[in-house]
Amino acid sequence: MKKTTFAFHDMPENAWTEDQSEKLDTYHYNFESAYKGTEDLLAAEVPPAVHRRFLDQAKEHPDYPTDKGYLKGGESDDDVIALSKEVLKAKKGSGFAAMLIEQCETLDEMPETVKSFLETVAADMALPKLADTDGDAGDDAGDGEDGPDDPDPLDIDIADIL
């Protein structure tokens, strides 16, 4: 199929088995995070303001883990990140991590690890740049942006008909 494949995963608790390593080697890009879990990555690399926005939004979600508590106001950045991490762990696999990332309003707020991976994917998947498609200035060779000029079927010279 000649497709470029990518893997993005956490650092495993235990070393990969031989079979797992062989399978991971089949990916063109096997990107292993330096963190033991996505929650750790997000806690370490996303600014506290994003965690606050996430928790403010997540508290309204019907699946919010109410046993983890809510922001009351005045919490330190460390306390906000700790609560966010607890919520993310409690709701692992249910879209809450994506909800947090959606709260990033600028690229600077995105986790560096995720940005790096996505930049690799984008660079690899980008279409090749086209050669000079405009030609030299003043050169009217008929090779424009979409290749050689084809005759216009509506450009009829009456002399050619008669």
Side-chain angles (χ1 to χ4, degrees):
M1 289 183 146
K2 296 185 181 183
K3 294 186 179 206
T4 302
T5 54
F6 301 87
F8 182 93
H9 53 86
D10 302 334
M11 180 188 311
E13 291 288 332
N14 302 308
W16 296 112
T17 66
E18 186 177 331
D19 182 54
Q20 290 170 324
S21 293
E22 286 174 12
K23 288 176 181 169
L24 286 170
D25 286 343
T26 64
Y27 289 93
H28 291 93
Y29 296 100
N30 175 24
F31 190 89
E32 183 174 285
S33 161
Y35 301 93
K36 297 272 185 192
T38 302
E39 304 83 8
D40 294 329
L41 183 155
L42 295 172
E45 296 188 12
V46 173
V50 176
H51 287 276
R52 287 180 195 277
R53 291 193 298 265
F54 160 69
L55 289 168
D56 190 50
Q57 178 191 34
K59 71 182 180 189
E60 304 298 328
H61 196 283
D63 287 339
Y64 184 86
T66 56
D67 62 315
K68 301 302 175 197
Y70 300 90
L71 291 179
K72 294 174 180 61
E75 290 88 353
S76 70
D77 288 348
D78 289 342
D79 290 341
V80 169
I81 291 171
L83 176 58
S84 179
K85 190 173 172 180
E86 285 184 44
V87 169
L88 291 169
K89 282 186 175 187
K91 300 310 297 178
K92 190 172 192 77
S94 62
F96 275 63
M99 193 185 313
L100 184 141
I101 290 174
E102 287 174 348
Q103 292 301 313
C104 295
E105 295 175 347
T106 66
L107 281 176
D108 289 338
E109 290 183 335
M110 286 288 293
E112 196 59 43
T113 299
V114 173
K115 278 195 304 190
S116 175
F117 174 73
L118 292 175
E119 286 168 353
T120 299
V121 171
D124 193 86
M125 302 303 288
L127 294 173
K129 294 189 187 265
L130 298 175
D132 181 17
T133 58
D134 294 332
D136 295 327
D139 177 15
D140 192 14
D143 291 334
E145 188 172 311
D146 33 349
D149 289 341
D150 292 322
D152 183 350
L154 299 177
D155 185 16
I156 300 171
D157 187 350
I158 195 71
D160 291 339
I161 297 174
L162 298 175

